[in-house]
Amino acid sequence: MSEHKPLRVLVYSDDRDVRATVISALGTCPHPDLPAFEYVECATEPVVFQHLDGGGFDLVILDGEAVPAGGLGIARQMKDEIYQAPPVLVLTGRPQDAWLATWSRAEAALPHPIDPFRLAETVIDLARRVLQSA
């Protein structure tokens, strides 16, 4: 898939270990059928929206447990305010919080602790959908 430009992925968490876990689990090429991934890390809500307002992101991964602004609220606001917002994966505090991901209008949700295999599987599915709709 080298003929495609890299997919830009925004990763938000106030915890740098969560951001590092996500990026390390996915790597720069999570599947041979996909283009490479380029990551932009954000630790605060204002920086998330600064980047999103600039456009050009293919996928957004938000930590629902981030403070003071959780990823679930950011996802909801993003879907309300950004025309053709990119797909969102939210990381919830526990499996029972999946309903909050539905409320936030995220396309996918996974609970903490992050399972690298489930994360990769979910992100690969979202990335394929992005490429199909392009």
Side-chain angles (χ1 to χ4, degrees), residues 5-58:
K5 65 179 180 143
L7 294 178
R8 293 191 68 219
V9 180
L10 185 141
V11 180
Y12 164 72
S13 178
D14 65 321
D15 183 340
R16 73 174 142 192
D17 292 335
V18 171
R19 296 191 311 268
T21 299
V22 167
I23 293 169
S24 142
L26 296 172
T28 57
C29 191
H31 194 278
D33 293 342
L34 295 174
F37 280 21
E38 285 181 357
Y39 297 99
V40 173
E41 295 183 56
C42 300
T44 65
E45 177 188 26
V47 174
V48 168
F49 282 104
Q50 179 183 16
H51 282 291
L52 290 174
D53 288 344
F57 285 93
D58 299 295

